[in-house]
Amino acid sequence: MIRENYLGVDVCRIDMKDALDEVDRIISNRKPSFVVAINPEKIMKAQKDESLRNLLNSASMQIPDGVGVVIASRFKGGKIRSRVTGIELMENICKVSAKKGYRVFLLGAKPGVAEGASDILKKRYPGLNIVGTRDGYFKDEDEVIENIKASSPDVLFVAMGSPKQEYWITKNMDKLGVPLCMGVGGSYDVICGNIKRAPKWMCSIGLEWLYRLIKEPWRYKRMAVLPVFLLKVLFGVKRK
Ligand code: UDP
């Protein structure tokens, strides 16, 4: 897989089809692996945190989740032309899983949310085998790990926010033995309708961030990294 690198962080040059092909490959390989969604916020966090940077770069696949990554690629002569968002990849993995019989486990979010998302996904993708759900506010980690292992999923989605979910996955994935682990942030909340995604037209012109800013203004600090990221990429400001 060809990767582009922005401020030290790898991003795969892929579209949705390539991502799904890689998912199939990872699952048939059976080796515990993880997929991570890359956006400017994570890249900027990784500037000050070398272990996070190494963690992101160690993923089997880094999907171009944020519009900032697509803009950076255009400016720097790269070839990433469209986003592969975490939530769309998750939905597509569920669709493929329903067809191919992959077993899916949903970990994370507030109590009840993963179950709600599971019900909706099973209706949306008939035949989808969700083998377990668990909220993301547990105390006994070993018990959760045993619970997941006992259901032997092929795919484990982890919705505990970033980078917490990525650290959790890399710390535990060998113990879990799940071929495909993927952090999905607030996706279950979106699937359940607790959080609304921007309308399609806003996503298609790269303004999903503006919609989120209006709906969740307290996130402005997290979003303010987008222009800083682009300036750094464009003018080559060195990492401190
Ligand atoms: N969450 C969780 N455990 C925690 C902290 C957060 O399960 O200890 C969940 C939270 O309920 C929410 C998701 O993680 O469903 C975080 O969503 P957010 O949109 O903040 O994700 P991000 O934008 O960081 O990817």
Side-chain angles (χ1 to χ4, degrees), residues 105-123 130 132-136 188-189 191-192:
F105 196 107
L106 304 183
L107 170 67
K110 297 211 174 90
V113 178
E115 285 95 319
S118 164
D119 291 343
I120 291 169
L121 289 168
K122 282 193 280 193
K123 276 200 197 104
I130 298 191
T133 59
R134 180 74 193 231
D135 70 84
Y188 307 164
D189 296 293
I191 290 165
C192 288

CSV table of all heavy atoms in Angstrom, one decimal, residues 105-123 130 132-136 188-189 191-192:
chain,number,residue,atom,x,y,z
A,105,PHE,N,-17.8,-7.3,16.9
A,105,PHE,CA,-18.0,-6.9,18.3
A,105,PHE,C,-18.0,-5.4,18.4
A,105,PHE,O,-17.1,-4.8,17.8
A,105,PHE,CB,-16.9,-7.5,19.2
A,105,PHE,CG,-17.2,-7.5,20.7
A,105,PHE,CD1,-17.6,-8.7,21.3
A,105,PHE,CD2,-17.2,-6.3,21.4
A,105,PHE,CE1,-17.9,-8.7,22.7
A,105,PHE,CE2,-17.5,-6.3,22.8
A,105,PHE,CZ,-17.8,-7.5,23.4
A,106,LEU,N,-18.9,-4.8,19.2
A,106,LEU,CA,-18.9,-3.3,19.3
A,106,LEU,C,-18.5,-3.0,20.8
A,106,LEU,O,-19.3,-3.3,21.7
A,106,LEU,CB,-20.3,-2.7,19.1
A,106,LEU,CG,-21.0,-3.0,17.7
A,106,LEU,CD1,-22.3,-2.2,17.6
A,106,LEU,CD2,-20.1,-2.6,16.6
A,107,LEU,N,-17.4,-2.4,21.0
A,107,LEU,CA,-17.0,-2.0,22.3
A,107,LEU,C,-16.9,-0.4,22.3
A,107,LEU,O,-16.5,0.2,21.4
A,107,LEU,CB,-15.5,-2.5,22.6
A,107,LEU,CG,-14.8,-2.0,23.8
A,107,LEU,CD1,-15.5,-2.4,25.1
A,107,LEU,CD2,-13.4,-2.5,23.9
A,108,GLY,N,-17.4,0.1,23.5
A,108,GLY,CA,-17.3,1.6,23.6
A,108,GLY,C,-18.6,2.3,23.7
A,108,GLY,O,-19.7,1.8,23.6
A,109,ALA,N,-18.5,3.6,24.0
A,109,ALA,CA,-19.6,4.6,24.2
A,109,ALA,C,-20.3,4.3,25.5
A,109,ALA,O,-20.0,3.4,26.3
A,109,ALA,CB,-20.5,4.6,23.0
A,110,LYS,N,-21.3,5.2,25.8
A,110,LYS,CA,-22.0,5.1,27.1
A,110,LYS,C,-22.9,3.9,27.2
A,110,LYS,O,-23.2,3.3,26.1
A,110,LYS,CB,-22.9,6.4,27.3
A,110,LYS,CG,-22.0,7.7,27.3
A,110,LYS,CD,-22.7,8.7,28.2
A,110,LYS,CE,-21.8,9.9,28.4
A,110,LYS,NZ,-22.0,10.9,27.4
A,111,PRO,N,-23.2,3.4,28.4
A,111,PRO,CA,-24.0,2.2,28.5
A,111,PRO,C,-25.3,2.3,27.6
A,111,PRO,O,-25.9,3.3,27.6
A,111,PRO,CB,-24.3,2.1,30.0
A,111,PRO,CG,-23.2,2.8,30.6
A,111,PRO,CD,-22.7,3.9,29.7
A,112,GLY,N,-25.5,1.3,26.9
A,112,GLY,CA,-26.8,1.2,26.1
A,112,GLY,C,-26.5,1.7,24.6
A,112,GLY,O,-27.3,1.3,23.7
A,113,VAL,N,-25.5,2.5,24.4
A,113,VAL,CA,-25.3,3.0,23.0
A,113,VAL,C,-24.8,2.0,22.1
A,113,VAL,O,-25.3,1.9,20.9
A,113,VAL,CB,-24.3,4.2,23.1
A,113,VAL,CG1,-24.1,4.8,21.7
A,113,VAL,CG2,-24.9,5.3,24.0
A,114,ALA,N,-23.9,1.1,22.5
A,114,ALA,CA,-23.4,0.1,21.6
A,114,ALA,C,-24.5,-0.9,21.2
A,114,ALA,O,-24.7,-1.3,20.1
A,114,ALA,CB,-22.2,-0.7,22.2
A,115,GLU,N,-25.4,-1.2,22.2
A,115,GLU,CA,-26.5,-2.1,22.0
A,115,GLU,C,-27.5,-1.5,20.9
A,115,GLU,O,-27.9,-2.1,20.0
A,115,GLU,CB,-27.4,-2.4,23.2
A,115,GLU,CG,-26.7,-3.4,24.2
A,115,GLU,CD,-26.0,-2.6,25.3
A,115,GLU,OE1,-25.3,-1.6,24.9
A,115,GLU,OE2,-26.0,-3.1,26.4
A,116,GLY,N,-27.7,-0.2,21.2
A,116,GLY,CA,-28.6,0.5,20.2
A,116,GLY,C,-28.0,0.5,18.8
A,116,GLY,O,-28.8,0.3,17.9
A,117,ALA,N,-26.7,0.8,18.7
A,117,ALA,CA,-26.1,0.8,17.4
A,117,ALA,C,-26.2,-0.6,16.8
A,117,ALA,O,-26.4,-0.7,15.6
A,117,ALA,CB,-24.6,1.3,17.5
A,118,SER,N,-26.0,-1.6,17.6
A,118,SER,CA,-26.0,-3.0,17.1
A,118,SER,C,-27.4,-3.3,16.5
A,118,SER,O,-27.5,-3.8,15.4
A,118,SER,CB,-25.7,-3.9,18.3
A,118,SER,OG,-26.1,-5.2,18.0
A,119,ASP,N,-28.5,-2.9,17.2
A,119,ASP,CA,-29.8,-3.2,16.7
A,119,ASP,C,-30.0,-2.5,15.4
A,119,ASP,O,-30.6,-3.1,14.4
A,119,ASP,CB,-30.9,-2.6,17.7
A,119,ASP,CG,-30.9,-3.5,19.0
A,119,ASP,OD1,-30.4,-4.6,18.9
A,119,ASP,OD2,-31.5,-3.0,20.0
A,120,ILE,N,-29.6,-1.2,15.3
A,120,ILE,CA,-29.8,-0.5,14.0
A,120,ILE,C,-29.0,-1.1,12.9
A,120,ILE,O,-29.4,-1.3,11.8
A,120,ILE,CB,-29.4,1.0,14.2
A,120,ILE,CG1,-30.4,1.7,15.2
A,120,ILE,CG2,-29.3,1.8,12.9
A,120,ILE,CD1,-30.0,3.0,15.7
A,121,LEU,N,-27.7,-1.5,13.2
A,121,LEU,CA,-26.8,-2.0,12.1
A,121,LEU,C,-27.4,-3.4,11.7
A,121,LEU,O,-27.3,-3.7,10.5
A,121,LEU,CB,-25.4,-2.2,12.7
A,121,LEU,CG,-24.6,-0.9,12.9
A,121,LEU,CD1,-23.4,-1.1,13.6
A,121,LEU,CD2,-24.3,-0.2,11.5
A,122,LYS,N,-28.0,-4.2,12.6
A,122,LYS,CA,-28.5,-5.5,12.2
A,122,LYS,C,-29.7,-5.3,11.3
A,122,LYS,O,-29.9,-6.1,10.4
A,122,LYS,CB,-28.8,-6.3,13.4
A,122,LYS,CG,-27.6,-6.9,14.1
A,122,LYS,CD,-27.9,-8.0,15.1
A,122,LYS,CE,-28.3,-7.4,16.4
A,122,LYS,NZ,-28.3,-8.3,17.5
A,123,LYS,N,-30.5,-4.3,11.5
A,123,LYS,CA,-31.6,-4.0,10.7
A,123,LYS,C,-31.2,-3.5,9.3
A,123,LYS,O,-31.7,-3.8,8.3
A,123,LYS,CB,-32.5,-2.9,11.3
A,123,LYS,CG,-33.5,-3.5,12.3
A,123,LYS,CD,-34.7,-2.6,12.5
A,123,LYS,CE,-35.4,-3.0,13.8
A,123,LYS,NZ,-35.1,-2.1,15.0
A,130,ILE,N,-23.5,-9.6,15.0
A,130,ILE,CA,-22.9,-8.9,16.0
A,130,ILE,C,-22.8,-9.8,17.3
A,130,ILE,O,-23.9,-10.1,17.8
A,130,ILE,CB,-23.6,-7.5,16.3
A,130,ILE,CG1,-23.5,-6.7,15.0
A,130,ILE,CG2,-22.9,-6.8,17.5
A,130,ILE,CD1,-23.9,-5.2,15.1
A,132,GLY,N,-21.3,-9.4,20.1
A,132,GLY,CA,-21.2,-8.9,21.5
A,132,GLY,C,-21.1,-7.4,21.5
A,132,GLY,O,-20.7,-6.7,20.5
A,133,THR,N,-21.6,-6.7,22.6
A,133,THR,CA,-21.4,-5.3,22.7
A,133,THR,C,-21.0,-5.0,24.2
A,133,THR,O,-21.3,-5.8,25.1
A,133,THR,CB,-22.8,-4.6,22.5
A,133,THR,OG1,-23.8,-5.1,23.4
A,133,THR,CG2,-23.3,-4.7,21.1
A,134,ARG,N,-20.4,-3.9,24.4
A,134,ARG,CA,-19.9,-3.6,25.8
A,134,ARG,C,-19.7,-2.1,25.8
A,134,ARG,O,-19.1,-1.5,24.9
A,134,ARG,CB,-18.6,-4.4,26.0
A,134,ARG,CG,-18.0,-4.1,27.4
A,134,ARG,CD,-18.8,-4.9,28.4
A,134,ARG,NE,-18.5,-4.4,29.7
A,134,ARG,CZ,-18.1,-5.2,30.7
A,134,ARG,NH1,-18.1,-6.5,30.5
A,134,ARG,NH2,-17.8,-4.7,31.9
A,135,ASP,N,-20.1,-1.4,26.9
A,135,ASP,CA,-19.8,0.1,26.9
A,135,ASP,C,-18.4,0.3,27.2
A,135,ASP,O,-17.6,-0.6,27.5
A,135,ASP,CB,-20.7,0.7,28.0
A,135,ASP,CG,-20.3,0.3,29.4
A,135,ASP,OD1,-19.4,1.0,29.9
A,135,ASP,OD2,-20.9,-0.6,29.9
A,136,GLY,N,-18.0,1.6,27.0
A,136,GLY,CA,-16.6,1.9,27.1
A,136,GLY,C,-16.2,2.5,28.5
A,136,GLY,O,-15.2,3.3,28.6
A,188,TYR,N,-20.9,5.2,17.2
A,188,TYR,CA,-22.1,4.6,17.7
A,188,TYR,C,-23.1,5.7,18.0
A,188,TYR,O,-24.3,5.5,17.8
A,188,TYR,CB,-21.9,3.8,18.9
A,188,TYR,CG,-20.8,2.7,18.8
A,188,TYR,CD1,-20.3,2.1,20.0
A,188,TYR,CD2,-20.2,2.3,17.6
A,188,TYR,CE1,-19.3,1.2,20.0
A,188,TYR,CE2,-19.2,1.3,17.6
A,188,TYR,CZ,-18.8,0.8,18.8
A,188,TYR,OH,-17.8,-0.2,18.8
A,189,ASP,N,-22.6,6.8,18.5
A,189,ASP,CA,-23.6,7.9,18.9
A,189,ASP,C,-24.2,8.4,17.6
A,189,ASP,O,-25.4,8.8,17.6
A,189,ASP,CB,-22.8,9.0,19.6
A,189,ASP,CG,-22.3,8.6,20.9
A,189,ASP,OD1,-23.0,8.3,21.8
A,189,ASP,OD2,-21.0,8.5,21.0
A,191,ILE,N,-24.7,6.6,14.8
A,191,ILE,CA,-25.6,5.6,14.3
A,191,ILE,C,-26.9,5.6,15.0
A,191,ILE,O,-27.9,5.5,14.5
A,191,ILE,CB,-24.9,4.2,14.3
A,191,ILE,CG1,-23.7,4.2,13.3
A,191,ILE,CG2,-25.9,3.1,14.1
A,191,ILE,CD1,-22.8,3.0,13.5
A,192,CYS,N,-26.8,5.8,16.3
A,192,CYS,CA,-28.0,5.9,17.2
A,192,CYS,C,-28.8,7.2,17.0
A,192,CYS,O,-29.9,7.3,17.6
A,192,CYS,CB,-27.6,5.7,18.7
A,192,CYS,SG,-27.1,4.1,19.1
